[in-house]
C-alpha cells in the first residue's frame, strides 16, 4: 500500500522568503508519480508540479521546484520568493503506474505568508 | 471549456436521506474519480472509473454507489446518509497517458 506523510501541520514564512514543505512517501512499486496540489481558502484543487520516479532531474515549474530524493523517499516542495497569494493548504500526493491514476494524499500543510 | 462540473455546490441532508452528486466532464477524459475531503485532511478516493460501464472501489467506498453509463457523466449516489458522510466531495477526470487531473470545484455536504 502507498502512504504519504506530511509532518508539518502549519508553516509561517515572511513574504519573499523561500519555503520548503516536507513530504515523505512509502511504496514498494518502482514506477510511481509524485504530485503537489495547492488548495486556497476558496477550496479548489490546483495542480502545481509533478515528478516521475524515473525522472533524473528535479521538476521545476516557475517558482515551484520539487526536491526529489529517491533513496530517502522524499519529495519536498520548494517555493522560492514567497508571495501573500501562496497562503493556502498544500497537499503531496502519489500515484502508481497501474491503470487509473489513483492518488493517495497526505494530510496537508497549511502555509501562511506574513507581510 | 467547462472542464469538470459538479452539482450541487452545497447540500444539507437529514440522516437516512439519499441523494446523488452529479459530475460531468466535457474533455472526453477516459478516467473519472470521486474523492472526499474531511475537515483538515487530505483527499481519499471513494470510487473511480476507467471508462463507460467500468467502475471500481477506492479506499473508502462504503455507503456510496456509482455508475458510468457515458464517458461524460459519473454520478455518486449516497444511500441512507450518515453524519460520517459530512465532507467535501470532489470529482476529477484525467486522460490515461497524461499526468494530472482536472478537478471539479467540489460539493460541500452536511448530514444532520
Amino acid at each position: 500500500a502507498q502512504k504519504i506523510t506530511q509532518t508539518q501541520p502549519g508553516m509561517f514564512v515572511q513574504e519573499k522568503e523561500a519555503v520548503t514543505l516536507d513530504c515523505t512517501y512509502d511504496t514498494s512499486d518502482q514506477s510511481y508519480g509524485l504530485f503537489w496540489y495547492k488548495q486556497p481558502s476558496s477550496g479548489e484543487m490546483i495542480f502545481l508540479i509533478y515528478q516521475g520516479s524515473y525522472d533524473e532531474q528535479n521538476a521545476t515549474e516557475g517558482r515551484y521546484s520539487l526536491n526529489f530524493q529517491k533513496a530517502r523517499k522524499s519529495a519536498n516542495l520548494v517555493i522560492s520568493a514567497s508571495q501573500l497569494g501562496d497562503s493556502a493548504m498544500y497537499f503531496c500526493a502519489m500515484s502508481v503506474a497501474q491503470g487509473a491514476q489513483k492518488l493517495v494524499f497526505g494530510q496537508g500543510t497549511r502555509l501562511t505568508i506574513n507581510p | 471549456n467547462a472542464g469538470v462540473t459538479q452539482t450541487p455546490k452545497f447540500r444539507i441532508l437529514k440522516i437516512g436521506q439519499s441523494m446523488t452528486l452529479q459530475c460531468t466532464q466535457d474533455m472526453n477524459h477516459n478516467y473519472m474519480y470521486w474523492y472526499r475531503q474531511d475537515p483538515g485532511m487530505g483527499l481519499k478516493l471513494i470510487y473511480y472509473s476507467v471508462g463507460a460501464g467500468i467502475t471500481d472501489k477506492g479506499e473508502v467506498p462504503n455507503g456510496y454507489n456509482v455508475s458510468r453509463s457515458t464517458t461524460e457523466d459519473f454520478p455518486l449516489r449516497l444511500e441512507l446518509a450518515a453524519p460520517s458522510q459530512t465532507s467535501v466531495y470532489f470529482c476529477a477526470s484525467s486522460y490515461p497517458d497524461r499526468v494530472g487531473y482536472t478537478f471539479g470545484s467540489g460539493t460541500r455536504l452536511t448530514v444532520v
Side-chain angles (χ1 to χ4, degrees):
Chain A
Q2 293 74 42
K3 185 178 181 181
I4 294 284
T5 302
Q6 295 180 253
T7 57
Q8 305 155 310
M11 290 273 290
F12 295 84
V13 174
Q14 288 298 118
E15 190 179 8
K16 299 182 184 177
E17 289 184 350
V19 57
T20 298
L21 304 182
D22 294 341
C23 172
T24 58
Y25 62 91
D26 188 24
T27 181
S28 57
D29 292 273
Q30 298 301 309
S31 179
Y32 51 89
L34 296 157
F35 301 76
W36 278 93
Y37 282 88
K38 173 183 179 181
Q39 187 177 43
S41 57
S42 53
E44 72 266 33
M45 296 294 290
I46 302 170
F47 168 72
L48 296 178
I49 197 166
Y50 167 81
Q51 179 86 38
S53 58
Y54 293 119
D55 295 340
E56 295 184 354
Q57 302 276 352
N58 284 344
T60 60
E61 291 286 348
R63 294 187 299 113
Y64 303 108
S65 61
L66 198 152
N67 184 2
F68 181 46
Q69 298 188 42
K70 197 169 184 177
R72 294 186 176 185
K73 293 189 174 180
S74 74
N76 298 341
L77 177 70
V78 180
I79 306 174
S80 63
S82 58
Q83 303 171 355
L84 296 178
D86 294 333
S87 293
M89 282 289 289
Y90 288 81
F91 292 98
C92 181
M94 176 170 61
S95 69
V96 293
Q98 297 171 357
Q101 298 173 20
K102 297 177 287 181
L103 292 179
V104 174
F105 285 82
Q107 290 190 306
T109 295
R110 181 171 297 280
L111 176 64
T112 302
I113 308 298
N114 295 316
Chain B
N1 291 334
V4 177
T5 302
Q6 291 184 238
T7 57
K9 293 191 182 305
F10 303 94
R11 183 72 186 267
I12 297 175
L13 275 183
K14 293 184 178 180
I15 294 172
Q17 287 185 322
S18 301
M19 77 165 293
T20 299
L21 281 66
Q22 302 291 344
C23 176
T24 299
Q25 55 94 7
D26 62 357
M27 298 167 286
N28 204 32
H29 283 173
N30 299 81
Y31 294 168
M32 296 189 73
Y33 316 83
W34 276 105
Y35 288 86
R36 60 176 285 174
Q37 183 181 26
D38 297 334
M41 304 292 285
L43 282 66
K44 292 187 177 181
L45 182 64
I46 306 171
Y47 271 96
Y48 67 98
S49 169
V50 298
I54 305 170
T55 62
D56 207 348
K57 296 177 180 179
E59 183 183 355
V60 289
N62 291 343
Y64 307 94
N65 280 299
V66 294
S67 59
R68 183 101 181 266
S69 56
T70 67
T71 299
E72 295 78 20
D73 299 310
F74 190 40
L76 177 72
R77 177 80 177 166
L78 279 72
E79 304 282 0
L80 298 175
S84 61
Q85 293 178 304
T86 294
S87 192
V88 178
Y89 292 83
F90 287 97
C91 180
S93 67
S94 69
Y95 284 115
D97 57 350
R98 298 185 196 175
V99 170
Y101 284 10
T102 299
F103 277 94
S105 57
T107 294
R108 185 175 296 275
L109 175 68
T110 302
V111 182
V112 296

